[in-house]
Amino acid sequence: MKWIEPKYPRKKVKKAGDYLVKADIDSTEFKESIPVFHNWRSAHAFPMQIMLDLLRKNSIRIDRGAIAVQRLKRVPSIYTKLVREKGMSLSRMEDIAGCRVVVDNVRYVNKVYSLLKKSRTKNILHRERDYITAPKESGYRGVHLIFKYNGSKEKYHGMAVELQIRSKIQHSWATAVEVVGAYTKQALKASSGDTMWLDAFKYISAEFSKLEGCPVDGRFNGIDTFHLMAKHINELNMLERLTAFKVATRALTQDKEHGAGYFIVLLDLDERLVSYSRFGKSQLDEATSFYDEQESLHKDSPSKDVVMVSAASVRDLKRAYPNYFADTAVFERYLAKVYEANK
């Protein structure tokens, strides 16, 4: 398989990111930065595949039902991060390429985490963040590891890939946050948006911690998070809204092909429909080009969300990325368990 290689030096990549944020859209600098940006993002596909293999191999040793997938960060997400985070540059962004595994429980999360830290690989563990011990401001929980490629292909040396390890309950929470954020057009994932929604998910995260037998975020010491959670859910009509966010996925469930490949998924928020295009494992060039075209086509439409993911099957795609199908059923089941535990 022919992988896309990085064509430009890091300094040029950094400048391209700066120009895309600061330069006039009609300027020469802005226009010349676009191919640099797309090449840099697409070139992450090779190190991402290497890290996916590493993540999958170690996860399966712990949980045979583990689901591991990969994704290239969307253009709007990269742009937003460049704008939002002071000092961030395109050449140093560590999550352009991401691999995620969902395992059955938090004990398995910790075991996979331990295996990855001890794994015999030439690639370098650059950074680790344990958001289970210390959740993010939003309430997000999970473990993130940043690896930098250091294998035999020197052109990719130093390119970062983020590995995420989540339990099913942690993944269900993150899914619900993204679904609500997408439909209400709020960056809840980045702790930005309506305070009621943000607080509701923080309280739910605290209650989910209890379900998993994990320490609750210290911010909530002495606070009755269950009753605050129930109050916010009721006032927001959260369960009714989640039901209204269900997306038709008939085209995906009727897909007759089951081989591995790349999927370019388009979520139409207004119509509540999902459509996708499939590319084989040998069609990376075509897939990334089509992805770029679709993002450009829909960049001015806040009701359309485009993502490129790779998964072994449509079934894995839907299980690992349920937020692109508004699938919050698992989240709702865990919420029911919280209510049952507090009767």
Side-chain angles (χ1 to χ4, degrees):
M1 178 176 178
K2 186 178 179 182
W3 297 97
I4 297 170
E5 296 181 343
K7 293 181 182 178
Y8 307 96
R10 297 288 180 103
K11 285 185 178 179
K12 189 158 188 176
V13 173
K14 180 185 182 304
K15 283 186 178 179
D18 293 343
Y19 284 138
L20 289 174
V21 172
K22 299 173 183 176
D24 186 276
I25 194 169
D26 295 318
S27 68
T28 301
E29 290 87 354
F30 185 90
K31 292 175 181 176
E32 289 180 348
S33 296
I34 293 175
V36 179
F37 170 87
H38 285 302
N39 171 257
W40 180 246
R41 183 176 71 154
S42 298
H44 279 76
F46 173 72
M48 181 171 65
Q49 182 62 48
I50 298 299
M51 303 306 173
L52 179 67
D53 293 341
L54 176 69
L55 180 61
R56 181 180 286 130
K57 178 181 72 174
N58 284 280
S59 301
I60 293 298
R61 288 176 61 186
I62 302 301
D63 180 0
R64 294 189 63 83
I67 299 292
V69 290
Q70 61 183 346
R71 69 97 181 97
L72 287 175
K73 199 174 187 72
R74 298 181 303 118
V75 170
S77 298
I78 294 174
Y79 178 83
T80 300
K81 189 165 186 175
L82 288 172
V83 172
R84 183 181 71 240
E85 298 190 15
K86 190 175 182 180
M88 176 57 65
S89 73
L90 181 61
S91 61
R92 292 191 300 105
M93 194 174 291
E94 295 176 339
D95 61 347
I96 290 175
C99 301
R100 173 188 300 157
V101 68
V102 180
V103 293
D104 188 65
N105 55 60
V106 71
R107 184 166 57 90
Y108 286 175
V109 170
N110 291 325
K111 285 188 174 184
V112 174
Y113 180 22
S114 179
L115 278 181
L116 284 168
K117 289 172 68 174
K118 297 174 184 176
S119 64
R120 293 182 179 181
T121 175
K122 292 181 180 179
N123 302 300
I124 299 166
L125 176 55
H126 174 65
R127 196 189 311 278
E128 53 188 279
R129 297 184 177 97
D130 181 353
Y131 294 123
I132 298 176
T133 302
K136 286 188 177 183
E137 169 66 21
S138 64
Y140 173 85
R141 297 183 308 124
V143 172
H144 291 192
L145 303 174
I146 305 295
F147 275 86
K148 289 194 173 183
Y149 178 79
N150 193 46
S152 60
K153 294 184 182 290
E154 291 187 9
K155 288 188 176 182
Y156 299 98
H157 276 190
M159 296 186 80
V161 180
E162 181 182 67
L163 307 187
Q164 299 180 357
I165 316 166
R166 298 176 183 171
S167 68
K168 287 180 179 177
I169 190 168
Q170 292 160 7
H171 187 55
S172 75
W173 180 93
T175 293
V177 170
E178 291 208 37
V179 169
V180 173
Y183 275 94
T184 61
K185 299 179 176 59
Q186 301 179 77
L188 301 178
K189 183 179 173 182
S191 297
S192 176
D194 182 81
T195 303
M196 281 287 289
W197 279 111
L198 291 170
D199 287 346
F201 279 115
K202 289 176 187 178
Y203 299 138
I204 292 169
S205 175
E207 289 301 310
F208 279 8
S209 293
K210 296 175 188 176
L211 282 185
E212 290 196 291
C214 295
V216 175
D217 189 332
R219 291 176 296 171
F220 300 122
N221 286 341
I223 295 175
D224 187 347
T225 52
F226 171 72
H227 284 94
L228 286 170
M229 178 200 81
K231 177 177 179 289
H232 280 65
I233 288 175
N234 183 56
E235 291 184 10
L236 289 165
N237 293 316
M238 181 186 284
L239 297 179
E240 291 80 359
R241 290 191 186 193
L242 290 177
T243 299
F245 292 162
K246 301 298 183 186
V247 175
T249 58
R250 183 179 303 172
L252 286 165
T253 55
Q254 290 180 344
D255 191 289
K256 302 300 181 185
E257 299 180 55
H258 299 290
Y262 299 96
F263 299 85
I264 314 302
V265 182
L266 174 64
L267 171 59
D268 188 321
L269 303 178
D270 288 340
E271 297 297 327
R272 297 180 183 172
L273 294 173
V274 168
S275 60
Y276 75 100
S277 298
R278 175 200 289 274
F279 294 84
K281 292 294 286 185
S282 63
Q283 296 179 293
L284 179 60
D285 273 351
E286 294 93 328
T288 53
S289 293
F290 184 70
Y291 181 26
D292 293 341
E293 289 170 7
Q294 289 297 301
E295 286 201 313
S296 295
L297 180 64
H298 300 296
K299 63 182 175 63
D300 296 322
S301 176
S303 67
K304 292 185 173 61
D305 193 15
V306 183
V307 66
M308 175 177 169
V309 294
S310 172
S313 68
V314 173
R315 178 170 168 270
D316 279 3
L317 178 73
K318 290 170 67 178
R319 287 175 65 188
Y321 288 90
N323 47 305
Y324 294 107
F325 305 94
D327 184 357
T328 56
V330 177
F331 172 77
E332 292 171 50
R333 286 201 295 272
Y334 283 121
L335 265 184
K337 289 186 177 183
V338 170
Y339 281 99
E340 183 66 25
N342 283 275
K343 277 186 175 179

